Amino acid sequence: MPDIKHFDPDETLDTVVRLFWRRGVATTGVQDIVTATGLNRSSLYATFGGKQELYLAALHRYRERRSRPMFRRLAEGDRGLPAVAEFFDSLITVRCSGEYARWGCMVANAHAGAENGDPDVRAVLDRHHQELRDALHTALTAAETRGQLAAGTDPEAAADLLALLAYGVNLRSRAGADAQALRRTVTAALDSIGRSPLA
Amino acid sequence: MPDIKHFDPDETLDTVVRLFWRRGVATTGVQDIVTATGLNRSSLYATFGGKQELYLAALHRYRERRSRPMFRRLAEGDRGLPAVAEFFDSLITVRCSGEYARWGCMVANAHAGAENGDPDVRAVLDRHHQELRDALHTALTAAETRGQLAAGTDPEAAADLLALLAYGVNLRSRAGADAQALRRTVTAALDSIGRSPLA
DNA sequence: GCCATCTTGGAATCGTGATTCCAAGATACT
DNA sequence: AGTATCTTGGAATCACGATTCCAAGATGGC
């Protein structure tokens, strides 16, 4: 009996993600969202609630569409170090070129804003960090099993280190860091973790 | 002949730094600054110009009072790795406890906000990164000279890595990362850079 | 074709954003 | 003391913030 939505909420959320991701939540107005999505204020509020709820939904969407797939690839296949190297390589490519160049990571960005005061946001941040660590840890454990790790390397500690390194890459890429330089740095880090080249 | 200022601009700037540092520029209003400093809008604008100029002044002040002293200590004395370890130790202490706990680094925070669109801000960000790298590089070169580095460690690459790691520490500390965990991670990183314990 | 129910357009609300303006007050030199 | 020159208080400005409201429109089942 009721009317049906005249737009696609899913598509809308993707547009909203792009806005919050690029410009941050504090500097993105509801008017900007209305303009970018083309839909009406009423529809926005009726579908998603207020701005904060919309931001949270966008954050979830970002993680689901952008972060999770990368984490999954990183952890799957027991490839070990090559998977880690590929992860960072894709990361740097996305951060420094193409449509999303210089946007950084939406979750990393959220750390710096006042939005991290919201307990819900904070929870997402922590969960994200945990998942990143876990994925890296899985890959590094596989690397250890395959004998790819240097003698003194602990997979746990190395995962923590690489997770923090990823935040650094994300942040600096937003300021326009050079992709080549980032790649060199990551390579050096992975080299120090991995078995020295001996054959 | 003229009147003289009825307040101390220097002291005021310190208060402003605290505001922008903790809450970010987008979410800090001029009204908040007026309230926190106790001085009048007219005096604010007459002394510092608008909000953006005030933010830039605060950013400079932060670097001068907070970052530079740490960089200087890191680079001076040719102590090598111990200086690096001490640097990270102080960093984590400041970021996770005391008055500034969970505030992160004002410069790192600036990477994530929309304020990085301003060319002047961007320039400060790049200069900051350069100085951090340089300080680390100086310390690591001293470490190399003193034979503290592992065989495959390049001071340049290690400096880049540790610089990015510092951003990671700063970001995560804002989300309430555990100091002990951060310390363990940093220690592991320094261990992998340094000469293995052999006597 | 009708009705209950939802969606949509767009104005209205009401707070707060940064910035400006001017009269009143304070200062230091003459 | 007088005066030129700056500072200060506080109201005024004007754009834009998020959110709400209601009349008009669209839908699907009867």
Side-chain angles (χ1 to χ4, degrees):
Chain A
M1 295 150 177
D3 193 0
I4 217 171
K5 283 194 200 308
H6 300 180
F7 67 96
D8 180 6
D10 235 51
E11 195 179 323
T12 297
L13 201 48
D14 284 333
T15 303
V16 174
V17 164
R18 261 180 241 119
L19 280 179
F20 283 141
W21 181 5
R22 177 158 51 98
R23 302 181 12 196
V25 59
T27 43
T28 301
V30 172
Q31 179 59 50
D32 298 323
I33 297 170
V34 166
T35 303
T37 60
L39 54 80
N40 196 273
R41 270 180 185 67
S42 307
S43 310
L44 246 186
Y45 277 87
T47 308
F48 300 103
K51 185 184 176 182
Q52 190 65 15
E53 284 141 300
L54 189 50
Y55 175 68
L56 261 162
L59 206 56
H60 281 122
R61 167 62 60 95
Y62 175 89
R63 297 216 320 116
E64 204 171 285
R65 295 279 164 95
R66 307 276 165 194
S67 309
R68 286 250 174 72
M70 296 209 51
F71 294 172
R72 222 173 290 133
R73 274 246 285 257
L74 171 56
E76 87 191 353
D78 288 331
R79 289 171 297 158
L81 276 190
V84 178
E86 187 192 289
F87 169 78
F88 276 100
D89 200 66
S90 317
L91 183 72
I92 293 170
T93 299
V94 172
R95 295 302 181 232
C96 298
S97 57
E99 187 183 354
Y100 311 111
R102 302 187 164 203
W103 290 20
C105 161
M106 188 175 172
V107 182
N109 295 347
H111 279 76
E115 54 263 37
N116 88 4
D118 183 325
D120 293 333
V121 173
R122 177 75 67 88
V124 175
L125 266 41
D126 286 341
R127 212 174 321 141
H128 182 86
H129 186 66
Q130 188 69 14
E131 287 176 22
L132 170 57
R133 278 185 22 153
D134 285 353
L136 283 166
H137 184 242
T138 300
L140 288 170
T141 302
E144 188 178 41
T145 304
R146 290 176 160 243
Q148 296 168 345
L149 293 193
T153 301
D154 170 35
E156 196 89 38
D160 287 341
L161 169 61
L162 292 179
L164 291 185
L165 177 60
Y167 287 101
V169 167
N170 285 325
L171 259 204
R172 280 301 300 164
S173 73
R174 229 182 118 87
D178 179 53
Q180 280 307 99
L182 291 176
R183 264 182 242 280
R184 268 197 305 273
T185 305
V186 167
T187 302
L190 293 185
D191 283 353
S192 90
I193 281 171
R195 198 181 185 63
S196 38
L198 42 67
Chain B
M1 295 148 176
D3 193 0
I4 218 171
K5 283 193 198 309
H6 299 179
F7 67 96
D8 180 6
D10 234 52
E11 195 179 324
T12 297
L13 201 49
D14 284 332
T15 303
V16 173
V17 164
R18 262 180 240 121
L19 281 178
F20 282 141
W21 180 6
R22 177 158 51 99
R23 303 182 11 197
V25 59
T27 43
T28 301
V30 172
Q31 180 58 50
D32 298 323
I33 298 169
V34 166
T35 303
T37 60
L39 53 82
N40 196 271
R41 269 179 184 65
S42 307
S43 309
L44 247 185
Y45 278 87
T47 308
F48 300 102
K51 185 184 175 182
Q52 191 63 17
E53 282 142 299
L54 189 50
Y55 175 66
L56 262 161
L59 206 56
H60 280 122
R61 166 61 62 95
Y62 175 88
R63 298 217 319 114
E64 204 172 288
R65 294 281 164 94
R66 308 275 166 193
S67 308
R68 287 250 174 73
M70 296 211 48
F71 295 172
R72 221 174 291 132
R73 274 244 288 253
L74 171 56
E76 87 191 353
D78 288 331
R79 287 170 299 157
L81 277 190
V84 178
E86 186 193 290
F87 169 78
F88 277 99
D89 200 67
S90 318
L91 184 70
I92 293 171
T93 299
V94 171
R95 297 300 181 233
C96 299
S97 57
E99 187 182 355
Y100 311 110
R102 305 186 163 203
W103 291 20
C105 161
M106 187 175 174
V107 181
N109 295 346
H111 279 75
E115 54 262 36
N116 88 4
D118 183 326
D120 292 333
V121 173
R122 178 75 66 87
V124 174
L125 266 40
D126 286 343
R127 212 174 320 143
H128 182 86
H129 186 66
Q130 188 69 15
E131 287 177 22
L132 170 57
R133 278 186 21 153
D134 284 354
L136 283 166
H137 185 242
T138 300
L140 288 170
T141 301
E144 188 178 41
T145 304
R146 290 176 161 242
Q148 296 169 343
L149 294 193
T153 301
D154 171 34
E156 196 91 36
D160 287 341
L161 169 61
L162 293 180
L164 290 185
L165 177 61
Y167 287 101
V169 167
N170 285 327
L171 257 205
R172 281 300 301 164
S173 72
R174 228 182 119 87
D178 180 52
Q180 281 306 98
L182 292 175
R183 263 182 243 279
R184 268 198 306 273
T185 305
V186 167
T187 302
L190 293 186
D191 282 354
S192 90
I193 281 171
R195 197 182 187 62
S196 39
L198 42 66

